[in-house]
Amino acid sequence: MKLIFAIVSNDDANRVQSALTKARFQVTRLATTGGFLLAGNTTFLCGTDDEKVDEAIEIVGKHSKKRTQLVPSSASYGVGMYSAFPVEVQVGGATIFVTNVERFEKL
């Protein structure tokens, strides 16, 4: 048995959850915050059999898209002089971790 941690953008979370549930995966949804942009995201926890891991990852990948976003940035132009200008960064997609489960009980 495996435990999948799938971290996706809040923009994609509903689509990912619906697709996983439709494929009969049981998921737990957690509201989390990312470190790079301090933006909200969603982490899904999904326990599944070893042979179904690739299917779950495929579903998450299909429903979590990468996109670009403009974010403010600061650049220094000398002593004490700063100018803010937007920088385009890539956001979205998914970060997925798969771990072994030593013991599972549903009470």
Side-chain angles (χ1 to χ4, degrees):
M1 177 167 240
K2 303 288 186 190
L3 178 60
I4 302 168
F5 296 86
I7 305 163
V8 303
S9 168
N10 281 345
D11 295 337
D12 300 324
N14 289 334
R15 287 187 298 277
V16 170
Q17 183 174 10
S18 293
L20 286 170
T21 303
K22 185 176 181 180
R24 305 190 61 79
F25 286 97
Q26 294 182 1
V27 296
T28 297
R29 181 176 176 160
L30 304 172
T32 53
T33 302
F36 176 56
L37 297 175
L38 298 176
N41 53 41
T42 299
T43 300
F44 292 100
L45 306 178
C46 178
T48 190
D49 295 322
D50 292 22
E51 60 272 3
K52 296 190 81 179
V53 169
D54 290 335
E55 179 185 354
I57 290 173
E58 184 179 322
I59 290 168
V60 172
K62 181 178 179 182
H63 296 282
S64 54
K65 303 298 179 197
K66 289 185 179 182
R67 54 196 155 276
T68 57
Q69 177 178 328
L70 290 175
V71 296
S73 175
S74 295
S76 175
Y77 291 112
V79 178
M81 295 178 58
Y82 290 92
S83 175
F85 58 92
V87 174
E88 194 172 87
V89 296
Q90 191 171 27
V91 297
T95 301
I96 299 172
F97 300 92
V98 180
T99 62
N100 291 317
V101 174
E102 186 175 318
R103 181 175 172 176
F104 169 74
E105 292 185 35
K106 192 168 187 174
L107 304 175

